[in-house]
Amino acid sequence: MQIYLDGKFVPKEEAKVSVFDHGYLYGDGVFEGIRAYHGRVFKLTEHLDRLYESAKTLMLDIPLTWKEMEATVLETVRRNNLWDAYIRIVVSRGEGDLGLDPRKCPQPTVVIIADKITLYPKELYTQGLKVVTVATRRNHAEALNPRIKSTNYLNNIIAKMEANHLGYAEVLMLNSEGYVVEGTGDNVFIYRNGRLVTPPAHVGILKGVTRQTVMDLAQEMGIPVAEEVFTRHDVFNAEECFMTGTAAEIIPVVEVDGRGIGSGKPGPLTQKLTEAYRALTKVSGTPVYADLEKGGAVIGD
Ligand code: PXG
């Protein structure tokens, strides 16, 4: 495996970062998780835009231009001869001293990993997911804005641990006012009375790339989509519920806090959107290999 680290491609064994890196010491950094399907990187522009926006808010100067980053992501996938991949970009504050001060970190660290994708078990999609809410609330946007995809995921990890402790794999997180916001690594949608609803960004969510893709697909299907706040009560009484994320794509949610959602099985709209999403991933994205457009089958360099 070849990993991009600060301007060079190095073998996995040599891809080492300093223990003085503030990404390690303080979780000071930003990241993206992106997928490639059939030799094309899905929604690369949207992921890179979000990476640069997260960095801007954290006053973190990414040492590569947007265009250089795009080219380097494609090159990382190419060097590893991958067609289907999970890509991780991490930009951390870089090496500094033991204090918090980011001004002591002159050079951000840039890492790009492209690995084989591990798919979730099929049962997750056919049987659906049972989730719970927990006591830990999503970060307040005025404390640590969830729109920043930072390398500090303790809020989500604590919530996930609470769910695990109760015997569940995933959480439906609430904000400090009790509104439903998102999962620990996925956005949430409910469907009721012919309308698809997802929480708006201002309640404190990461604006998921998959979330936007699903909203676009629903619109194309003629299904009204709204960004509105809602509570657990609205979820319990929804006809369908699902979560969206780059890794999981669209996962049906069939139970929340012991209440079965709709029929208690993955709903027909969830299934229809899943099919549409999968169809889209097959045909769209930034080509990794130059002659992909011509139907060539060259793998790697
Ligand atoms: N909300 C949060 C908090 C996320 O971290 C999403 C929503 C979905 O966004 P996209 O753009 O992927 O549709 C995410 C992203 C994991 C894992 O291993 C998940 C994410 C990030 C890192 C790891 O489950 N999710």
Side-chain angles (χ1 to χ4, degrees), residues 31-33 47 50 86 88 120 138 146 149 153 156 160 182-187 205-211 244-247:
F31 78 103
E32 276 300 320
H47 282 284
R50 188 171 65 187
Y86 187 75
R88 175 65 54 96
Y120 286 107
R138 189 78 176 100
K149 196 163 171 63
Y153 257 55
N156 318 52
K160 210 176 185 62
E182 59 181 338
T184 57
D186 303 278
N187 294 110
I205 61 164
L206 182 80
K207 276 183 91 175
V209 172
T210 319
R211 171 184 179 272
T244 64
T246 297

Side-chain angles (χ1 to χ4, degrees), residues 8-9 18 31 47 55 58 67 97 111 123-124 157 165 170 184 186 193 195 202 212 235 249 257 285 296:
K8 288 201 278 284
F9 285 94
S18 166
F31 78 103
H47 282 284
L58 293 183
K67 272 281 165 204
D97 65 16
V111 171
E123 305 86 74
L124 191 69
I157 291 164
H165 183 64
E170 186 50 286
T184 57
D186 303 278
N193 297 333
R195 258 167 30 110
H202 71 80
Q212 187 59 53
V235 182
E249 302 178 331
D257 291 338

Side-chain angles (χ1 to χ4, degrees), residues 254-293:
V254 295
E255 187 193 290
V256 178
D257 291 338
R259 282 81 158 179
I261 307 302
S263 65
K265 295 206 175 76
L269 177 66
T270 307
Q271 284 170 359
K272 216 172 135 192
L273 284 168
T274 303
E275 279 161 31
Y277 187 84
R278 290 192 176 150
L280 184 67
T281 60
K282 285 206 171 86
V283 296
S284 85
T286 312
V288 175
Y289 302 102
D291 63 347
L292 192 68
E293 296 297 354

Side-chain angles (χ1 to χ4, degrees), residues 4-278:
Y4 176 86
L5 172 61
D6 292 336
K8 288 201 278 284
F9 285 94
V10 294
K12 184 180 171 185
E13 299 68 35
E14 290 170 31
K16 301 268 197 301
V17 175
S18 166
V19 293
F20 285 90
D21 194 301
H22 281 206
Y24 179 71
L25 287 175
Y26 297 115
D28 184 355
V30 295
F31 78 103
E32 276 300 320
I34 312 169
R35 276 177 80 165
Y37 295 87
H38 313 291
R40 293 172 201 270
V41 181
F42 191 62
K43 301 281 177 188
L44 181 55
T45 299
E46 288 78 355
H47 282 284
L48 292 183
D49 284 348
R50 188 171 65 187
L51 180 78
Y52 280 81
E53 284 185 14
S54 294
K56 172 86 186 205
T57 299
L58 293 183
M59 294 183 172
L60 178 60
D61 277 329
I62 299 179
L64 281 77
T65 64
W66 194 104
K67 272 281 165 204
E68 286 166 347
M69 183 66 84
E70 181 189 42
T72 313
V73 167
L74 297 173
E75 180 63 14
T76 310
V77 181
R78 235 180 340 255
R79 291 225 178 195
N80 288 285
N81 298 330
L82 293 166
W83 286 72
D84 293 283
Y86 187 75
I87 304 155
R88 175 65 54 96
I89 308 174
V90 186
V91 183
S92 64
R93 188 73 66 180
E95 206 174 325
D97 65 16
L98 289 177
L100 278 177
D101 195 343
R103 291 173 302 185
K104 305 272 180 63
C105 309
Q107 187 63 28
T109 306
V110 182
V111 171
I112 306 171
I113 305 167
D115 201 355
K116 289 199 173 69
I117 173 94
T118 322
L119 298 173
Y120 286 107
K122 267 207 167 73
E123 305 86 74
L124 191 69
Y125 301 92
T126 53
Q127 291 166 15
L129 195 63
K130 295 178 180 181
V131 304
V132 284
T133 57
V134 296
T136 299
R137 299 301 171 101
R138 189 78 176 100
N139 281 333
H140 196 290
E142 294 303 321
L144 178 54
N145 195 337
R147 286 193 63 181
I148 304 166
K149 196 163 171 63
S150 87
T151 51
N152 193 317
Y153 257 55
L154 274 181
N155 178 222
N156 318 52
I157 291 164
I158 292 167
K160 210 176 185 62
M161 283 197 309
E162 285 184 280
N164 293 163
H165 183 64
L166 296 167
Y168 290 82
E170 186 50 286
V171 183
L172 187 60
M173 291 190 81
L174 308 176
N175 69 9
S176 56
E177 293 176 286
Y179 290 116
V180 170
V181 286
E182 59 181 338
T184 57
D186 303 278
N187 294 110
V188 64
F189 284 81
I190 56 171
Y191 178 64
R192 195 177 185 188
N193 297 333
R195 258 167 30 110
L196 201 55
V197 186
T198 193
H202 71 80
V203 294
I205 61 164
L206 182 80
K207 276 183 91 175
V209 172
T210 319
R211 171 184 179 272
Q212 187 59 53
T213 307
V214 166
M215 288 168 72
D216 295 344
L217 286 172
Q219 223 132 34
E220 280 167 31
M221 289 175 179
I223 298 151
V225 191
E227 293 177 81
E228 283 172 12
V229 294
F230 57 86
T231 63
R232 284 197 322 153
H233 179 82
D234 300 306
V235 182
F236 297 154
N237 293 288
E239 291 159 39
E240 298 187 30
C241 177
F242 59 83
M243 288 187 172
T244 64
T246 297
E249 302 178 331
I250 300 173
I251 337 162
V253 174
V254 295
E255 187 193 290
V256 178
D257 291 338
R259 282 81 158 179
I261 307 302
S263 65
K265 295 206 175 76
L269 177 66
T270 307
Q271 284 170 359
K272 216 172 135 192
L273 284 168
T274 303
E275 279 161 31
Y277 187 84
R278 290 192 176 150

